[in-house]
Amino acid sequence: MHVVATAGHVDHGKSSLVRSLTGTDPDRLAEEKRRGLTIDLGFAWAELPGAGSVAFVDVPGHSSFVPTMLAGVGPVPVALLVVAADGGWMPQSAEHLAALDALGVRHGLLVVTRADLADPAPALAAARAELAGTSLAGVPAVACSAVTGAGLDEVRRVLAEVLAAVPAPRAAGPVRLWVDRAFTIRGAGTVVTGTLGAGTLRTGDELDLATASGVRRARVRGLQSLEQDVASASGVARVAVNLRGVERGEVGRGDALVTPGWSVRTDVLDVRCPGAGEGPGELPGRLVVHAGSAAVPARSRPLGRDGADLLVRLRLEAPLPLVLGDRLLLRDPARHLVLGAGVVLDVRPPALRRRGAAAARVADLQGLGGEPDEASELRRRRVVRGADLRAMGVRVRTSPVAGDWHVAPGLLERAGERLAGLVAEHAAADPLRPGLPLEEARRALGLPDRALVQAAVRPPLQLVDGRVVAGAAAAQLPPRVERAVAAVLADLAGQPFAAPDAERLRELGLGRSELAAAVRAGRLERVAEGVVLAPGALRRAARALAGLPQPFTASEARRALGTSRRVALPLLEALDAARLTSRGADDRRRVLGDGGRPAPVGRPGGAEPPRE
Ligand SMILES: Nc1nc2c(ncn2[C@@H]2O[C@H](COP(=O)(O)OP(=O)(O)OP(=O)(O)O)[C@@H](O)[C@H]2O)c(=O)[nH]1
Ligand SMILES: [Mg+2]
């Protein structure tokens, strides 16, 4: 199917031409028929020899209805520009042409109508001159009369030729259907219509309905194209979509049905305005942005020039679902002035806070044409989620480096080098706790996720207990602490369960953090706060207790281990916790398993496993 939109000044014969070509009057409202004036968008279609089905979106020409006209032509790739032979080039001829030019519409046909009323040659020559230098320069032209029928066959023939040259869009790609009408059908519910530019819609599809107030899921309950029920429709096509679970009041012109995960609903964006950097043509601070069938007031802030183009930050009054490369139309409604195009370069631009931020931004955007490109986005954004890239319209081909994170080339390597320095600094500042906590490293490196720090850890760096350490540094203690630990171990050599008391620890200079460091380094075993033994002491205690008649009391255990109550009680609790012993209801204990290895959890018929 092809979709063609009309354009041209009021009363120049657009609707009459569509009716002549399709047999259907696109003016369906009673008021339109009464006033002989198109007020809202009209739709009609016909089979055209050599072109297949052709649907027409007929737009109003009256100056009051330019926003309606723009909603109709926004998503349509082909234009039928109509000029009356007896009317000649008029203000909305110019305004509509400027809009088509800004939207980049390159395919079309110039039709000089009402050729029975005046010689079409002057109107044709004037129109040709106006088309020169626009996207429609050089399109074919035909003169005709809807009243006599003269020239209509030629219009059909030339239109078929024009349509044959229109490239087919991607049927496999994502969908964004800009809604141009919404209504209710009794028994079916809410129906929206629009021009599907690309991609394929199917019944049963789940789509995001993006409106000014938010996004919600909607399911395609039924689909029609050219008044036929269809199971699927691929762009370019006129479609009517029956939506499940959407009330009529929740959707209207300017909203969009979008493939989930594709497009960013944004109210801040950076655009390139081709040619607007030349001459005096500064953009006004307030303007209206048209995208698809949507029109949203916006504020513009020039960032700077890039050659002949102006780079502009736009702040929309309501968010729109956009992707990189979208072509927006910028308009000043008060002056009936199409200001030009805005090609979307960034849908998630950084805030401009510091002085000179705009200039830096211009440098960033220099040369970008808007085509979504993974390498260029990674270079500029440094770190970005794959899902976010896809939402921007980028086809992601590389694999993530951690989680869903994609990074600029060399970024992890540089982060790894900086990390080595940070780890060394941290170790020098805090020798008892040499590892740099992952979260601290993440903040220092300015990365959004600890998983990225982890991915940057390369030998000799390693990750131990959530800290980044340099090689064997984790196992090393400062010499002073090392000497004190050796003294403790010497004390314990004869009496392995006689843990040093507080006074002895103080004498050796082993405070809380020194003991913690020695335990982390595996040089001492912690029984309780301030109670330490030689490594392996718990296992040795269990083996010693296995020699007692089972079960045994705490004081029997204390005597067997040759230690004090201060040590024995926490030691028994530590044994319970390690599942080396279990404590019965009478406070007596049994050694579990073989006394050296912890008993497996949940043995059938065994004692109830202790909780962690
Ligand atoms: N004689 C003659 N009259 C025509 C021709 N085409 C259209 N008309 C008349 O011109 C008037 C306007 O035609 P429309 O088709 O409604 O014009 P339009 O461009 O659709 O107007 P808007 O939608 O309001 O912008 C109507 O009275 C038509 O009957 C033609 O080829 N010859
Ligand atoms: Mg009309």
Side-chain angles (χ1 to χ4, degrees):
M1 187 198 305
H2 289 282
V3 182
V4 178
T6 60
H9 197 71
V10 64
D11 255 358
H12 275 206
K14 300 178 289 299
S15 301
S16 303
L17 179 59
V18 169
R19 191 177 52 230
S20 301
L21 294 173
T22 64
T24 306
D25 186 358
D27 288 337
R28 70 208 133 76
L29 304 177
E31 189 186 354
E32 289 177 321
K33 295 199 191 288
R34 187 165 48 76
R35 292 170 65 185
L37 181 85
T38 301
I39 294 168
D40 203 355
L41 300 173
F43 306 95
W45 61 277
E47 292 296 320
L48 196 64
S53 305
V54 182
F56 293 89
V57 178
D58 184 42
V59 307
H62 194 281
S63 61
S64 307
F65 306 134
V66 175
T68 304
M69 182 272 176
L70 293 173
V73 299
V76 178
V78 186
L80 200 59
L81 181 60
V82 171
V83 182
D86 58 330
W89 196 254
M90 294 295 280
Q92 269 62 56
S93 315
E95 192 173 4
H96 288 190
L97 173 62
L100 295 170
D101 184 40
L103 291 169
V105 177
R106 289 176 293 119
H107 304 279
L109 176 60
L110 170 64
V111 183
V112 177
T113 51
R114 296 168 54 115
D116 55 305
L117 298 178
D119 175 9
L124 185 78
R128 275 241 170 280
E130 298 290 342
L131 285 170
T134 73
S135 60
L136 288 169
V139 297
V142 181
C144 72
S145 165
V147 168
T148 68
L152 286 175
D153 281 341
E154 183 68 355
V155 171
R156 290 191 185 90
R157 193 186 62 74
V158 178
L159 181 57
E161 270 176 26
V162 166
L163 294 177
V166 178
R170 281 180 67 209
V175 160
R176 182 176 46 193
L177 180 73
W178 293 102
V179 173
D180 51 33
R181 271 196 305 165
F183 48 89
T184 316
I185 288 185
R186 197 193 292 266
T190 304
V191 174
V192 299
T193 67
T195 302
L196 181 65
T200 299
L201 270 176
R202 294 179 185 82
T203 53
D205 277 356
E206 290 258 349
L207 296 165
D208 280 344
L209 174 63
T211 70
S213 52
V215 183
R216 51 171 307 181
R217 270 306 148 84
R219 184 186 284 275
V220 178
R221 183 183 192 176
L223 207 54
Q224 280 201 341
S225 191
L226 307 183
E227 294 170 36
Q228 298 290 312
D229 285 328
V230 290
S232 73
S234 297
V236 177
R238 283 298 302 174
V239 291
V241 187
N242 181 197
L243 294 174
R244 189 187 297 278
V246 176
E247 296 298 321
R248 166 65 190 92
E250 295 174 304
V251 58
R253 180 171 289 169
D255 297 338
L257 281 172
V258 203
T259 300
W262 184 77
S263 86
V264 175
R265 197 166 157 277
T266 182
D267 56 4
V268 189
L269 53 151
D270 287 346
V271 300
R272 169 184 300 276
C273 301
E278 280 179 332
E282 279 274 299
L283 283 185
R286 284 170 177 279
L287 43 79
V288 172
V289 171
H290 295 257
S293 62
V296 178
R299 288 171 177 279
S300 81
R301 167 177 173 181
L303 299 169
R305 281 156 207 266
D306 182 12
D309 304 343
L310 202 59
L311 299 173
V312 178
R313 164 92 22 124
L314 293 176
R315 207 165 274 281
L316 310 180
E317 269 180 25
L320 289 174
L322 298 175
V323 294
L324 302 181
D326 272 338
R327 206 176 162 101
L328 311 176
L329 185 151
L330 311 181
R331 184 166 179 266
D332 183 347
R335 289 190 287 159
H336 269 279
L337 190 62
V338 171
L339 300 163
V343 179
V344 176
L345 301 183
D346 198 339
V347 285
R348 287 236 169 98
L352 301 173
R353 288 208 192 86
R354 282 170 292 110
R355 279 189 52 172
R361 191 67 189 141
V362 170
D364 257 5
L365 299 175
Q366 206 99 46
L368 282 188
E371 301 79 32
D373 171 62
E374 185 181 9
S376 136
E377 291 308 313
L378 287 180
R379 251 195 323 278
R380 270 187 316 127
R381 297 178 191 277
R382 295 179 62 245
V383 183
V384 60
R385 284 198 176 87
D388 289 341
L389 284 174
R390 277 183 279 273
M392 292 173 202
V394 176
R395 286 168 97 174
V396 180
R397 293 194 169 80
T398 63
S399 320
V401 293
D404 188 28
W405 293 107
H406 294 252
V407 300
L411 179 127
L412 281 188
E413 290 70 16
R414 283 192 301 280
E417 285 161 22
R418 279 190 58 203
L419 195 54
L422 291 168
V423 167
E425 274 170 37
H426 187 271
D430 189 359
L432 284 177
R433 198 68 166 106
L436 179 64
L438 213 46
E439 176 58 20
E440 230 171 277
R442 184 195 68 73
R443 259 182 282 128
L445 294 172
L447 292 173
D449 189 334
R450 288 197 286 269
L452 287 163
V453 183
Q454 229 162 317
V457 172
R458 310 267 159 91
L461 295 185
Q462 59 186 56
L463 198 63
V464 179
D465 289 341
R467 288 170 173 256
V468 189
V469 295
Q476 275 172 12
L477 293 173
R480 167 182 74 81
V481 181
E482 189 59 59
R483 278 194 299 277
V485 168
V488 171
L489 293 174
D491 292 350
L492 290 168
Q495 290 175 289
F497 304 107
D501 59 15
E503 198 188 318
R504 176 66 174 147
L505 291 174
R506 206 163 33 244
E507 179 185 304
L508 292 170
L510 291 174
R512 198 187 261 253
S513 51
E514 285 81 4
L515 286 179
V519 168
R520 266 196 311 276
R523 309 279 288 121
L524 291 175
E525 192 156 289
R526 182 184 189 275
V527 175
E529 181 66 47
V531 182
V532 288
L533 296 173
L538 279 188
R539 296 282 156 95
R540 287 167 73 186
R543 275 199 298 277
L545 295 175
L548 287 177
Q550 310 284 313
F552 51 84
T553 64
S555 55
E556 283 163 355
R558 179 179 58 74
R559 278 195 298 277
L561 297 173
T563 184
S564 60
R565 279 178 65 82
R566 179 182 71 87
V567 177
L569 293 183
L571 180 56
L572 286 169
E573 276 163 25
L575 288 168
D576 293 343
R579 290 187 293 110
L580 290 165
T581 57
S582 94
R583 177 178 182 172
D586 58 357
D587 266 2
R588 294 169 178 235
R589 288 178 168 84
R590 294 173 180 280
V591 173
L592 293 176
D594 66 1
R597 294 191 202 108
V601 174
R603 279 177 309 181
E608 184 175 319
R611 269 166 282 156
E612 288 290 310

